[in-house]
Amino acid sequence: MRTIVLLRTVMAAAVAGLLAVPAMADEGTIEYREAVYTAIGGHMKALGAIVKGQVPRNEDMKPHADAIAALSEITPHLFPEGSGKGKTDAKPEIWTKADDFKEDMDSFAKAAKAMAAAAGGSDEATIAAAFGELGKACKECHDSFREKH
Ligand code: ASC
């Protein structure tokens, strides 16, 4: 009797373990994705504070913009098939409208690179315009592909 109970416990644990592996793999993907987007958001916030003149750190614009541009090369790879399941704000349209999603991703990378180029110069109007375009690219993708709360 005791052996059977023990056996059942072990088997239940094994089954739970098998089920937990794919779930955990996705959780890791989602957590990684959120960490990257949090990093982008942080650089955007810092960049915005400078562009809006809230902090006199013009020399920091380029590193922030470069970081966003570098991370824009990573974002297209953050949505592997299956990573829409679980606790995520990623909408199913990312996978069902993959072409539209790719277009938004490309716009983001393009705007991020334009921002990095503008930040390398000192033309305030160019910088402000590039920042506006970059924010628009963020928003466009979020409106279509991120769950609202
Ligand atoms: C940001 C940020 C976003 C976008 C979006 C633009 O700075 O964190 O998600 O810009 O708000 O409208």
Side-chain angles (χ1 to χ4, degrees):
M1 187 61 201
R2 234 168 228 226
T3 317
I4 288 169
V5 170
L6 185 68
L7 203 63
R8 277 169 56 182
T9 308
V10 170
M11 280 171 70
V15 169
L18 281 173
L19 293 174
V21 172
M24 274 170 66
D26 255 1
E27 240 168 68
T29 303
I30 292 166
E31 267 181 34
Y32 174 60
R33 177 161 74 216
E34 290 177 352
V36 174
Y37 274 99
T38 299
I40 293 169
H43 285 295
M44 268 308 270
K45 194 172 176 188
L47 191 55
I50 302 166
V51 172
K52 290 169 195 159
Q54 292 161 359
V55 279
R57 295 294 311 169
N58 284 357
E59 63 272 46
D60 296 353
M61 277 194 292
K62 181 77 174 141
H64 288 304
D66 281 346
I68 297 167
L71 292 170
S72 76
E73 298 282 318
I74 291 179
T75 52
H77 309 295
L78 295 177
F79 301 86
E81 202 66 52
S83 69
K85 295 179 197 83
K87 203 166 161 277
T88 176
D89 289 335
K91 287 170 92 171
E93 284 80 358
I94 289 169
W95 297 276
T96 58
K97 295 181 179 171
D99 290 351
D100 292 348
F101 183 64
K102 188 185 181 312
E103 231 175 77
D104 279 2
M105 277 279 156
D106 289 346
S107 299
F108 166 49
K110 207 172 152 204
K113 280 165 193 166
M115 179 71 240
S122 55
D123 191 85
E124 281 187 22
T126 304
I127 290 166
F131 185 72
E133 287 300 315
L134 180 54
K136 238 200 262 173
C138 296
K139 185 177 177 344
E140 236 169 67
C141 196
H142 291 164
D143 285 351
S144 307
F145 298 107
R146 185 175 69 170
E147 215 63 70
K148 287 168 197 68
H149 289 286

mmCIF file of all heavy atoms in Angstrom, residues 21-70:
data_model
loop_
_atom_site.group_PDB
_atom_site.id
_atom_site.type_symbol
_atom_site.label_atom_id
_atom_site.label_comp_id
_atom_site.label_asym_id
_atom_site.label_seq_id
_atom_site.Cartn_x
_atom_site.Cartn_y
_atom_site.Cartn_z
ATOM 1 N N VAL A 21 8.133 21.790 -18.050
ATOM 2 C CA VAL A 21 9.269 22.181 -18.900
ATOM 3 C C VAL A 21 8.888 23.143 -20.025
ATOM 4 O O VAL A 21 9.413 24.243 -20.049
ATOM 5 C CB VAL A 21 10.057 20.948 -19.409
ATOM 6 C CG1 VAL A 21 11.090 21.339 -20.437
ATOM 7 C CG2 VAL A 21 10.727 20.236 -18.236
ATOM 8 N N PRO A 22 7.923 22.775 -20.893
ATOM 9 C CA PRO A 22 7.581 23.753 -21.946
ATOM 10 C C PRO A 22 7.010 25.051 -21.384
ATOM 11 O O PRO A 22 7.304 26.117 -21.892
ATOM 12 C CB PRO A 22 6.549 23.030 -22.804
ATOM 13 C CG PRO A 22 6.243 21.755 -22.122
ATOM 14 C CD PRO A 22 7.219 21.525 -21.037
ATOM 15 N N ALA A 23 6.203 24.945 -20.307
ATOM 16 C CA ALA A 23 5.617 26.156 -19.718
ATOM 17 C C ALA A 23 6.716 27.082 -19.221
ATOM 18 O O ALA A 23 6.669 28.288 -19.418
ATOM 19 C CB ALA A 23 4.678 25.784 -18.585
ATOM 20 N N MET A 24 7.730 26.502 -18.599
ATOM 21 C CA MET A 24 8.818 27.319 -18.060
ATOM 22 C C MET A 24 9.657 27.936 -19.173
ATOM 23 O O MET A 24 10.094 29.064 -19.061
ATOM 24 C CB MET A 24 9.716 26.483 -17.151
ATOM 25 C CG MET A 24 9.204 26.428 -15.726
ATOM 26 S SD MET A 24 10.082 25.229 -14.732
ATOM 27 C CE MET A 24 11.701 25.971 -14.692
ATOM 28 N N ALA A 25 9.824 27.157 -20.261
ATOM 29 C CA ALA A 25 10.611 27.671 -21.390
ATOM 30 C C ALA A 25 9.958 28.934 -21.930
ATOM 31 O O ALA A 25 10.619 29.924 -22.197
ATOM 32 C CB ALA A 25 10.712 26.611 -22.474
ATOM 33 N N ASP A 26 8.623 28.915 -22.046
ATOM 34 C CA ASP A 26 7.895 30.085 -22.530
ATOM 35 C C ASP A 26 7.962 31.244 -21.551
ATOM 36 O O ASP A 26 8.085 32.388 -21.950
ATOM 37 C CB ASP A 26 6.443 29.721 -22.795
ATOM 38 C CG ASP A 26 6.177 29.608 -24.280
ATOM 39 O OD1 ASP A 26 7.124 29.794 -25.065
ATOM 40 O OD2 ASP A 26 5.044 29.346 -24.638
ATOM 41 N N GLU A 27 7.867 30.903 -20.278
ATOM 42 C CA GLU A 27 7.952 31.940 -19.248
ATOM 43 C C GLU A 27 9.282 32.666 -19.348
ATOM 44 O O GLU A 27 9.341 33.886 -19.230
ATOM 45 C CB GLU A 27 7.825 31.305 -17.870
ATOM 46 C CG GLU A 27 6.650 31.820 -17.068
ATOM 47 C CD GLU A 27 6.419 30.963 -15.854
ATOM 48 O OE1 GLU A 27 7.275 30.997 -14.958
ATOM 49 O OE2 GLU A 27 5.396 30.259 -15.821
ATOM 50 N N GLY A 28 10.325 31.890 -19.585
ATOM 51 C CA GLY A 28 11.659 32.486 -19.734
ATOM 52 C C GLY A 28 11.704 33.415 -20.931
ATOM 53 O O GLY A 28 12.262 34.515 -20.853
ATOM 54 N N THR A 29 11.089 32.983 -22.031
ATOM 55 C CA THR A 29 11.047 33.797 -23.247
ATOM 56 C C THR A 29 10.284 35.092 -22.989
ATOM 57 O O THR A 29 10.720 36.173 -23.406
ATOM 58 C CB THR A 29 10.356 33.012 -24.389
ATOM 59 O OG1 THR A 29 11.070 31.797 -24.586
ATOM 60 C CG2 THR A 29 10.328 33.800 -25.680
ATOM 61 N N ILE A 30 9.163 34.978 -22.294
ATOM 62 C CA ILE A 30 8.344 36.157 -22.000
ATOM 63 C C ILE A 30 9.086 37.103 -21.059
ATOM 64 O O ILE A 30 9.114 38.313 -21.278
ATOM 65 C CB ILE A 30 6.968 35.733 -21.421
ATOM 66 C CG1 ILE A 30 6.132 35.027 -22.501
ATOM 67 C CG2 ILE A 30 6.213 36.935 -20.872
ATOM 68 C CD1 ILE A 30 4.917 34.277 -21.975
ATOM 69 N N GLU A 31 9.728 36.538 -20.052
ATOM 70 C CA GLU A 31 10.483 37.373 -19.102
ATOM 71 C C GLU A 31 11.632 38.097 -19.797
ATOM 72 O O GLU A 31 11.887 39.269 -19.541
ATOM 73 C CB GLU A 31 11.038 36.513 -17.955
ATOM 74 C CG GLU A 31 10.098 36.481 -16.772
ATOM 75 C CD GLU A 31 10.643 35.658 -15.626
ATOM 76 O OE1 GLU A 31 11.863 35.648 -15.424
ATOM 77 O OE2 GLU A 31 9.831 35.008 -14.936
ATOM 78 N N TYR A 32 12.313 37.378 -20.656
ATOM 79 C CA TYR A 32 13.417 37.983 -21.408
ATOM 80 C C TYR A 32 12.891 39.115 -22.290
ATOM 81 O O TYR A 32 13.443 40.215 -22.328
ATOM 82 C CB TYR A 32 14.114 36.911 -22.255
ATOM 83 C CG TYR A 32 15.182 37.450 -23.174
ATOM 84 C CD1 TYR A 32 16.284 38.129 -22.665
ATOM 85 C CD2 TYR A 32 15.074 37.302 -24.562
ATOM 86 C CE1 TYR A 32 17.260 38.641 -23.504
ATOM 87 C CE2 TYR A 32 16.040 37.802 -25.403
ATOM 88 C CZ TYR A 32 17.131 38.459 -24.875
ATOM 89 O OH TYR A 32 18.087 38.965 -25.714
ATOM 90 N N ARG A 33 11.792 38.836 -22.994
ATOM 91 C CA ARG A 33 11.174 39.837 -23.862
ATOM 92 C C ARG A 33 10.825 41.095 -23.062
ATOM 93 O O ARG A 33 11.126 42.212 -23.472
ATOM 94 C CB ARG A 33 9.902 39.228 -24.478
ATOM 95 C CG ARG A 33 9.123 40.184 -25.357
ATOM 96 C CD ARG A 33 8.200 39.412 -26.257
ATOM 97 N NE ARG A 33 7.041 38.844 -25.604
ATOM 98 C CZ ARG A 33 6.501 37.662 -25.925
ATOM 99 N NH1 ARG A 33 7.020 36.925 -26.875
ATOM 100 N NH2 ARG A 33 5.440 37.210 -25.300
ATOM 101 N N GLU A 34 10.215 40.894 -21.899
ATOM 102 C CA GLU A 34 9.813 42.041 -21.085
ATOM 103 C C GLU A 34 11.026 42.812 -20.566
ATOM 104 O O GLU A 34 10.985 44.041 -20.453
ATOM 105 C CB GLU A 34 8.896 41.575 -19.951
ATOM 106 C CG GLU A 34 7.535 41.130 -20.508
ATOM 107 C CD GLU A 34 6.572 40.576 -19.465
ATOM 108 O OE1 GLU A 34 6.988 40.388 -18.302
ATOM 109 O OE2 GLU A 34 5.411 40.333 -19.827
ATOM 110 N N ALA A 35 12.102 42.089 -20.267
ATOM 111 C CA ALA A 35 13.322 42.760 -19.801
ATOM 112 C C ALA A 35 13.892 43.658 -20.897
ATOM 113 O O ALA A 35 14.309 44.788 -20.631
ATOM 114 C CB ALA A 35 14.359 41.721 -19.366
ATOM 115 N N VAL A 36 13.875 43.153 -22.128
ATOM 116 C CA VAL A 36 14.403 43.948 -23.247
ATOM 117 C C VAL A 36 13.531 45.187 -23.468
ATOM 118 O O VAL A 36 14.046 46.300 -23.626
ATOM 119 C CB VAL A 36 14.501 43.097 -24.544
ATOM 120 C CG1 VAL A 36 14.905 43.972 -25.730
ATOM 121 C CG2 VAL A 36 15.503 41.958 -24.369
ATOM 122 N N TYR A 37 12.213 44.998 -23.447
ATOM 123 C CA TYR A 37 11.323 46.149 -23.652
ATOM 124 C C TYR A 37 11.403 47.149 -22.497
ATOM 125 O O TYR A 37 11.289 48.365 -22.713
ATOM 126 C CB TYR A 37 9.876 45.702 -23.910
ATOM 127 C CG TYR A 37 9.650 45.411 -25.377
ATOM 128 C CD1 TYR A 37 9.669 44.114 -25.867
ATOM 129 C CD2 TYR A 37 9.469 46.447 -26.287
ATOM 130 C CE1 TYR A 37 9.499 43.845 -27.220
ATOM 131 C CE2 TYR A 37 9.302 46.198 -27.641
ATOM 132 C CZ TYR A 37 9.319 44.894 -28.099
ATOM 133 O OH TYR A 37 9.155 44.644 -29.444
ATOM 134 N N THR A 38 11.636 46.655 -21.289
ATOM 135 C CA THR A 38 11.818 47.560 -20.147
ATOM 136 C C THR A 38 13.087 48.388 -20.353
ATOM 137 O O THR A 38 13.107 49.593 -20.067
ATOM 138 C CB THR A 38 11.887 46.752 -18.832
ATOM 139 O OG1 THR A 38 10.655 46.055 -18.670
ATOM 140 C CG2 THR A 38 12.095 47.663 -17.632
ATOM 141 N N ALA A 39 14.113 47.752 -20.879
ATOM 142 C CA ALA A 39 15.364 48.466 -21.170
ATOM 143 C C ALA A 39 15.124 49.549 -22.220
ATOM 144 O O ALA A 39 15.545 50.704 -22.057
ATOM 145 C CB ALA A 39 16.439 47.484 -21.643
ATOM 146 N N ILE A 40 14.407 49.204 -23.270
ATOM 147 C CA ILE A 40 14.096 50.182 -24.318
ATOM 148 C C ILE A 40 13.296 51.338 -23.716
ATOM 149 O O ILE A 40 13.595 52.515 -23.975
ATOM 150 C CB ILE A 40 13.308 49.518 -25.485
ATOM 151 C CG1 ILE A 40 14.193 48.507 -26.212
ATOM 152 C CG2 ILE A 40 12.777 50.584 -26.456
ATOM 153 C CD1 ILE A 40 13.455 47.604 -27.196
ATOM 154 N N GLY A 41 12.304 51.001 -22.898
ATOM 155 C CA GLY A 41 11.477 52.023 -22.252
ATOM 156 C C GLY A 41 12.306 52.950 -21.370
ATOM 157 O O GLY A 41 12.072 54.162 -21.342
ATOM 158 N N GLY A 42 13.277 52.390 -20.682
ATOM 159 C CA GLY A 42 14.157 53.184 -19.827
ATOM 160 C C GLY A 42 14.980 54.171 -20.632
ATOM 161 O O GLY A 42 15.090 55.354 -20.276
ATOM 162 N N HIS A 43 15.522 53.684 -21.747
ATOM 163 C CA HIS A 43 16.315 54.573 -22.613
ATOM 164 C C HIS A 43 15.420 55.631 -23.244
ATOM 165 O O HIS A 43 15.839 56.785 -23.404
ATOM 166 C CB HIS A 43 17.039 53.763 -23.685
ATOM 167 C CG HIS A 43 18.219 53.008 -23.154
ATOM 168 N ND1 HIS A 43 19.341 53.641 -22.639
ATOM 169 C CD2 HIS A 43 18.456 51.683 -23.026
ATOM 170 C CE1 HIS A 43 20.207 52.734 -22.234
ATOM 171 N NE2 HIS A 43 19.694 51.535 -22.455
ATOM 172 N N MET A 44 14.196 55.252 -23.600
ATOM 173 C CA MET A 44 13.251 56.221 -24.180
ATOM 174 C C MET A 44 12.923 57.318 -23.175
ATOM 175 O O MET A 44 12.883 58.502 -23.511
ATOM 176 C CB MET A 44 11.945 55.519 -24.588
ATOM 177 C CG MET A 44 11.882 55.025 -26.006
ATOM 178 S SD MET A 44 12.282 56.243 -27.260
ATOM 179 C CE MET A 44 10.671 56.962 -27.604
ATOM 180 N N LYS A 45 12.705 56.914 -21.939
ATOM 181 C CA LYS A 45 12.357 57.867 -20.885
ATOM 182 C C LYS A 45 13.528 58.825 -20.635
ATOM 183 O O LYS A 45 13.334 60.042 -20.524
ATOM 184 C CB LYS A 45 12.002 57.098 -19.608
ATOM 185 C CG LYS A 45 11.308 57.952 -18.579
ATOM 186 C CD LYS A 45 10.799 57.116 -17.413
ATOM 187 C CE LYS A 45 10.197 58.045 -16.358
ATOM 188 N NZ LYS A 45 9.853 57.337 -15.128
ATOM 189 N N ALA A 46 14.727 58.262 -20.561
ATOM 190 C CA ALA A 46 15.926 59.072 -20.328
ATOM 191 C C ALA A 46 16.147 60.037 -21.498
ATOM 192 O O ALA A 46 16.411 61.232 -21.296
ATOM 193 C CB ALA A 46 17.141 58.156 -20.145
ATOM 194 N N LEU A 47 16.007 59.499 -22.700
ATOM 195 C CA LEU A 47 16.183 60.304 -23.914
ATOM 196 C C LEU A 47 15.152 61.435 -23.949
ATOM 197 O O LEU A 47 15.494 62.590 -24.243
ATOM 198 C CB LEU A 47 16.033 59.384 -25.132
ATOM 199 C CG LEU A 47 16.421 59.898 -26.518
ATOM 200 C CD1 LEU A 47 17.847 60.414 -26.541
ATOM 201 C CD2 LEU A 47 16.246 58.770 -27.545
ATOM 202 N N GLY A 48 13.928 61.103 -23.618
ATOM 203 C CA GLY A 48 12.851 62.091 -23.611
ATOM 204 C C GLY A 48 13.130 63.225 -22.633
ATOM 205 O O GLY A 48 12.869 64.395 -22.940
ATOM 206 N N ALA A 49 13.661 62.884 -21.483
ATOM 207 C CA ALA A 49 13.965 63.905 -20.467
ATOM 208 C C ALA A 49 15.002 64.899 -21.001
ATOM 209 O O ALA A 49 14.913 66.102 -20.733
ATOM 210 C CB ALA A 49 14.475 63.232 -19.191
ATOM 211 N N ILE A 50 15.951 64.397 -21.789
ATOM 212 C CA ILE A 50 16.988 65.271 -22.365
ATOM 213 C C ILE A 50 16.398 66.092 -23.511
ATOM 214 O O ILE A 50 16.562 67.309 -23.556
ATOM 215 C CB ILE A 50 18.204 64.452 -22.859
ATOM 216 C CG1 ILE A 50 18.810 63.635 -21.722
ATOM 217 C CG2 ILE A 50 19.253 65.392 -23.469
ATOM 218 C CD1 ILE A 50 19.785 62.555 -22.166
ATOM 219 N N VAL A 51 15.697 65.400 -24.421
ATOM 220 C CA VAL A 51 15.124 66.077 -25.594
ATOM 221 C C VAL A 51 14.167 67.190 -25.163
ATOM 222 O O VAL A 51 14.142 68.269 -25.755
ATOM 223 C CB VAL A 51 14.391 65.057 -26.528
ATOM 224 C CG1 VAL A 51 13.632 65.761 -27.636
ATOM 225 C CG2 VAL A 51 15.390 64.056 -27.120
ATOM 226 N N LYS A 52 13.419 66.947 -24.092
ATOM 227 C CA LYS A 52 12.461 67.957 -23.609
ATOM 228 C C LYS A 52 13.135 69.019 -22.742
ATOM 229 O O LYS A 52 12.453 69.909 -22.211
ATOM 230 C CB LYS A 52 11.328 67.266 -22.847
ATOM 231 C CG LYS A 52 10.416 66.471 -23.768
ATOM 232 C CD LYS A 52 9.457 65.568 -22.987
ATOM 233 C CE LYS A 52 8.830 64.536 -23.911
ATOM 234 N NZ LYS A 52 8.327 63.375 -23.168
ATOM 235 N N GLY A 53 14.451 68.894 -22.538
ATOM 236 C CA GLY A 53 15.180 69.923 -21.783
ATOM 237 C C GLY A 53 15.024 69.828 -20.270
ATOM 238 O O GLY A 53 15.313 70.774 -19.551
ATOM 239 N N GLN A 54 14.586 68.678 -19.804
ATOM 240 C CA GLN A 54 14.421 68.518 -18.347
ATOM 241 C C GLN A 54 15.746 68.274 -17.647
ATOM 242 O O GLN A 54 15.870 68.532 -16.446
ATOM 243 C CB GLN A 54 13.432 67.376 -18.056
ATOM 244 C CG GLN A 54 12.007 67.714 -18.490
ATOM 245 C CD GLN A 54 11.113 66.491 -18.643
ATOM 246 O OE1 GLN A 54 11.559 65.358 -18.440
ATOM 247 N NE2 GLN A 54 9.872 66.713 -19.025
ATOM 248 N N VAL A 55 16.718 67.744 -18.386
ATOM 249 C CA VAL A 55 18.073 67.555 -17.825
ATOM 250 C C VAL A 55 19.102 68.017 -18.858
ATOM 251 O O VAL A 55 18.979 67.697 -20.042
ATOM 252 C CB VAL A 55 18.380 66.091 -17.419
ATOM 253 C CG1 VAL A 55 17.802 65.763 -16.064
ATOM 254 C CG2 VAL A 55 17.898 65.106 -18.461
ATOM 255 N N PRO A 56 20.107 68.760 -18.417
ATOM 256 C CA PRO A 56 21.115 69.274 -19.350
ATOM 257 C C PRO A 56 22.196 68.229 -19.621
ATOM 258 O O PRO A 56 23.349 68.391 -19.215
ATOM 259 C CB PRO A 56 21.672 70.481 -18.597
ATOM 260 C CG PRO A 56 21.555 70.109 -17.155
ATOM 261 C CD PRO A 56 20.356 69.205 -17.031
ATOM 262 N N ARG A 57 21.816 67.154 -20.310
ATOM 263 C CA ARG A 57 22.762 66.062 -20.564
ATOM 264 C C ARG A 57 22.768 65.693 -22.042
ATOM 265 O O ARG A 57 22.686 64.512 -22.397
ATOM 266 C CB ARG A 57 22.375 64.831 -19.714
ATOM 267 C CG ARG A 57 22.478 65.012 -18.204
ATOM 268 C CD ARG A 57 23.900 65.209 -17.702
ATOM 269 N NE ARG A 57 24.813 64.202 -18.237
ATOM 270 C CZ ARG A 57 26.155 64.265 -18.131
ATOM 271 N NH1 ARG A 57 26.720 65.308 -17.535
ATOM 272 N NH2 ARG A 57 26.904 63.310 -18.626
ATOM 273 N N ASN A 58 22.882 66.705 -22.899
ATOM 274 C CA ASN A 58 22.851 66.458 -24.348
ATOM 275 C C ASN A 58 23.851 65.394 -24.783
ATOM 276 O O ASN A 58 23.580 64.632 -25.712
ATOM 277 C CB ASN A 58 23.126 67.757 -25.109
ATOM 278 C CG ASN A 58 21.909 68.670 -25.110
ATOM 279 O OD1 ASN A 58 20.858 68.302 -24.587
ATOM 280 N ND2 ASN A 58 22.061 69.854 -25.679
ATOM 281 N N GLU A 59 24.980 65.359 -24.102
ATOM 282 C CA GLU A 59 26.026 64.394 -24.480
ATOM 283 C C GLU A 59 25.589 62.945 -24.211
ATOM 284 O O GLU A 59 26.236 62.014 -24.677
ATOM 285 C CB GLU A 59 27.356 64.722 -23.780
ATOM 286 C CG GLU A 59 27.331 64.633 -22.257
ATOM 287 C CD GLU A 59 26.895 65.932 -21.563
ATOM 288 O OE1 GLU A 59 25.892 66.540 -21.996
ATOM 289 O OE2 GLU A 59 27.562 66.305 -20.582
ATOM 290 N N ASP A 60 24.520 62.754 -23.448
ATOM 291 C CA ASP A 60 24.030 61.394 -23.167
ATOM 292 C C ASP A 60 23.024 60.896 -24.208
ATOM 293 O O ASP A 60 22.666 59.710 -24.212
ATOM 294 C CB ASP A 60 23.343 61.330 -21.786
ATOM 295 C CG ASP A 60 24.304 61.623 -20.637
ATOM 296 O OD1 ASP A 60 25.519 61.740 -20.893
ATOM 297 O OD2 ASP A 60 23.828 61.747 -19.493
ATOM 298 N N MET A 61 22.581 61.799 -25.067
ATOM 299 C CA MET A 61 21.549 61.408 -26.040
ATOM 300 C C MET A 61 22.013 60.268 -26.938
ATOM 301 O O MET A 61 21.274 59.317 -27.182
ATOM 302 C CB MET A 61 21.145 62.604 -26.911
ATOM 303 C CG MET A 61 20.127 63.481 -26.255
ATOM 304 S SD MET A 61 19.374 64.627 -27.399
ATOM 305 C CE MET A 61 20.743 65.685 -27.776
ATOM 306 N N LYS A 62 23.247 60.426 -27.424
ATOM 307 C CA LYS A 62 23.774 59.428 -28.377
ATOM 308 C C LYS A 62 23.830 58.023 -27.755
ATOM 309 O O LYS A 62 23.329 57.068 -28.374
ATOM 310 C CB LYS A 62 25.143 59.906 -28.890
ATOM 311 C CG LYS A 62 25.808 58.987 -29.894
ATOM 312 C CD LYS A 62 25.212 59.088 -31.287
ATOM 313 C CE LYS A 62 26.027 58.239 -32.265
ATOM 314 N NZ LYS A 62 25.117 57.565 -33.213
ATOM 315 N N PRO A 63 24.409 57.844 -26.557
ATOM 316 C CA PRO A 63 24.404 56.489 -25.986
ATOM 317 C C PRO A 63 22.998 55.916 -25.794
ATOM 318 O O PRO A 63 22.778 54.718 -26.052
ATOM 319 C CB PRO A 63 25.122 56.627 -24.635
ATOM 320 C CG PRO A 63 25.735 57.975 -24.602
ATOM 321 C CD PRO A 63 25.265 58.770 -25.775
ATOM 322 N N HIS A 64 22.053 56.733 -25.369
ATOM 323 C CA HIS A 64 20.686 56.220 -25.199
ATOM 324 C C HIS A 64 20.096 55.818 -26.552
ATOM 325 O O HIS A 64 19.482 54.757 -26.688
ATOM 326 C CB HIS A 64 19.789 57.267 -24.540
ATOM 327 C CG HIS A 64 20.102 57.479 -23.089
ATOM 328 N ND1 HIS A 64 20.090 56.454 -22.176
ATOM 329 C CD2 HIS A 64 20.454 58.598 -22.398
ATOM 330 C CE1 HIS A 64 20.411 56.935 -20.981
ATOM 331 N NE2 HIS A 64 20.650 58.231 -21.091
ATOM 332 N N ALA A 65 20.274 56.694 -27.537
ATOM 333 C CA ALA A 65 19.724 56.413 -28.868
ATOM 334 C C ALA A 65 20.410 55.198 -29.491
ATOM 335 O O ALA A 65 19.757 54.363 -30.130
ATOM 336 C CB ALA A 65 19.865 57.636 -29.768
ATOM 337 N N ASP A 66 21.725 55.097 -29.293
ATOM 338 C CA ASP A 66 22.463 53.929 -29.816
ATOM 339 C C ASP A 66 21.955 52.634 -29.171
ATOM 340 O O ASP A 66 21.846 51.602 -29.837
ATOM 341 C CB ASP A 66 23.966 54.071 -29.543
ATOM 342 C CG ASP A 66 24.649 55.002 -30.531
ATOM 343 O OD1 ASP A 66 24.039 55.329 -31.575
ATOM 344 O OD2 ASP A 66 25.798 55.410 -30.252
ATOM 345 N N ALA A 67 21.681 52.703 -27.880
ATOM 346 C CA ALA A 67 21.193 51.510 -27.165
ATOM 347 C C ALA A 67 19.850 51.070 -27.738
ATOM 348 O O ALA A 67 19.636 49.877 -27.995
ATOM 349 C CB ALA A 67 21.075 51.804 -25.672
ATOM 350 N N ILE A 68 18.960 52.022 -27.967
ATOM 351 C CA ILE A 68 17.642 51.684 -28.530
ATOM 352 C C ILE A 68 17.813 51.089 -29.932
ATOM 353 O O ILE A 68 17.178 50.086 -30.275
ATOM 354 C CB ILE A 68 16.703 52.914 -28.553
ATOM 355 C CG1 ILE A 68 16.426 53.398 -27.129
ATOM 356 C CG2 ILE A 68 15.389 52.583 -29.277
ATOM 357 C CD1 ILE A 68 15.764 54.772 -27.048
ATOM 358 N N ALA A 69 18.693 51.697 -30.721
ATOM 359 C CA ALA A 69 18.935 51.189 -32.082
ATOM 360 C C ALA A 69 19.489 49.765 -32.031
ATOM 361 O O ALA A 69 19.078 48.903 -32.815
ATOM 362 C CB ALA A 69 19.881 52.122 -32.833
ATOM 363 N N ALA A 70 20.401 49.506 -31.094
ATOM 364 C CA ALA A 70 20.968 48.156 -30.960
ATOM 365 C C ALA A 70 19.874 47.173 -30.540
ATOM 366 O O ALA A 70 19.772 46.063 -31.078
ATOM 367 C CB ALA A 70 22.110 48.160 -29.953
#
